[in-house]
Amino acid sequence: EPEVTQTPSHQVTQMGQEVILRCVPISNHLYFYWYRQILGQKVEFLVSFYNNEISEKSEIFDDQFSVERPDGSNFTLKIRSTKLEDSAMYFCASRLGRGTEAFFGQGTRLTVV
Amino acid sequence: AQKVTQAQTEISVVEKEDVTLDCVYETRDTTYYLFWYKQPPSGELVFLIRRNSFDEQNEISGRYSWNFQKSTSSFNFTITASQVVDSAVYFCAAYAGGGSQGNLIFGKGTKLSVKP
């Protein structure tokens, strides 16, 4: 069964460092997302990506964040200068089309120290 | 603006009991899509069920069933004969159709504990 895969599963980084979180969405899906979940809290929308561009972003997704789809398969989230409060589980998701369900990767746990 | 509300923070049941998780979705859109996701202790988000605002029937899938009441904007999810493996946080999520790309928004989640 096709699935969304994310790497790494866990990343520890020092404050101020850049991190890149990687995702491979399901191959025929058209819509891609990044979400964040701070430990024990709700799942928060960060950004959506469609037709090779950002379609919407939340207030959380400030200038420190960027996304790319560098080739036909990968979808990355970059945080330029990490802060302690960026520590969270980051989920990538993809879906086929309008009205369909989103499938999530297993998440990358980012710890900023 | 959209809002997903899960009023129940935590529920504890004994195995084999039925349990219903509540969700209310508020939106001005007439077309929208509702979902339930399960997050077990391992942390991943697992899609369970989907319901469209224009669907007429409520459905059952195995031990899961869901009840959508458009008049009250409620989308409740029932697990019949609960099992210990059902212990998880359950998130209700939704997005409105319209012209948006459909960014899923989540409720705060309900933690379900099923005791043997």
Side-chain angles (χ1 to χ4, degrees):
Chain A
E1 185 174 318
E3 58 181 18
V4 178
T5 57
Q6 290 184 243
T7 54
S9 56
H10 191 184
Q11 179 147 4
V12 181
T13 189
Q14 289 202 327
M15 193 168 55
Q17 294 296 304
E18 174 183 287
V19 295
I20 297 176
L21 310 183
R22 303 181 190 280
C23 170
V24 179
I26 295 173
S27 62
N28 61 338
H29 283 191
L30 301 176
Y31 299 84
F32 313 111
Y33 304 88
W34 283 100
Y35 286 81
R36 172 181 92 172
Q37 185 182 32
I38 295 171
L39 188 63
Q41 298 187 24
K42 68 188 290 185
V43 181
E44 301 175 292
F45 167 73
L46 291 178
V47 65
S48 58
F49 196 87
Y50 171 73
N51 204 22
N52 287 318
E53 60 183 18
I54 291 175
S55 48
E56 195 169 335
K57 55 187 180 181
S58 72
E59 293 174 353
I60 303 168
F61 194 89
D62 60 21
D63 292 343
Q64 298 288 350
F65 292 88
S66 62
V67 289
E68 271 192 344
R69 189 156 158 82
D71 53 43
S73 58
N74 292 287
F75 181 49
T76 61
L77 174 70
K78 182 192 290 187
I79 310 175
R80 287 192 187 80
S81 178
T82 49
K83 309 185 190 77
L84 294 176
E85 53 265 37
D86 293 328
S87 295
M89 181 76 92
Y90 288 81
F91 290 102
C92 173
S94 70
R95 63 182 179 88
L96 178 60
R98 181 171 292 176
T100 60
E101 57 271 19
F103 291 92
F104 285 78
Q106 78 278 22
T108 294
R109 180 165 297 285
L110 176 66
T111 303
V112 182
V113 296
Chain B
Q2 310 173 67
K3 188 176 180 183
V4 178
T5 302
Q6 293 180 255
Q8 304 153 309
T9 306
E10 290 193 44
I11 300 176
S12 183
V13 299
V14 177
E15 206 170 19
K16 297 185 184 175
E17 286 184 12
D18 297 348
V19 57
T20 295
L21 308 179
D22 299 333
C23 174
V24 173
Y25 176 56
E26 297 169 62
T27 180
R28 292 183 189 164
D29 287 85
T30 55
T31 299
Y32 48 88
Y33 307 93
L34 303 165
F35 306 86
W36 279 95
Y37 284 84
K38 174 182 179 180
Q39 187 173 46
S42 49
E44 70 270 26
L45 284 165
V46 180
F47 164 73
L48 296 176
I49 57 173
R50 178 186 79 198
R51 174 62 193 258
N52 306 329
S53 59
F54 43 85
D55 286 342
E56 293 294 330
Q57 297 174 334
N58 293 308
E59 295 184 38
I60 298 174
S61 176
R63 294 189 298 111
Y64 299 155
S65 62
W66 48 104
N67 183 288
F68 173 56
Q69 296 285 338
K70 199 161 188 173
S71 58
T72 57
S73 302
S74 68
F75 181 49
N76 297 334
F77 174 63
T78 298
I79 303 173
T80 303
S82 59
Q83 301 173 1
V84 173
V85 294
D86 295 328
S87 297
V89 179
Y90 289 82
F91 289 98
C92 180
Y95 64 84
S100 77
Q101 300 303 327
N103 305 323
L104 206 58
I105 62 166
F106 284 78
K108 291 185 178 180
T110 299
K111 183 177 181 180
L112 174 64
S113 299
V114 182
K115 301 189 188 321

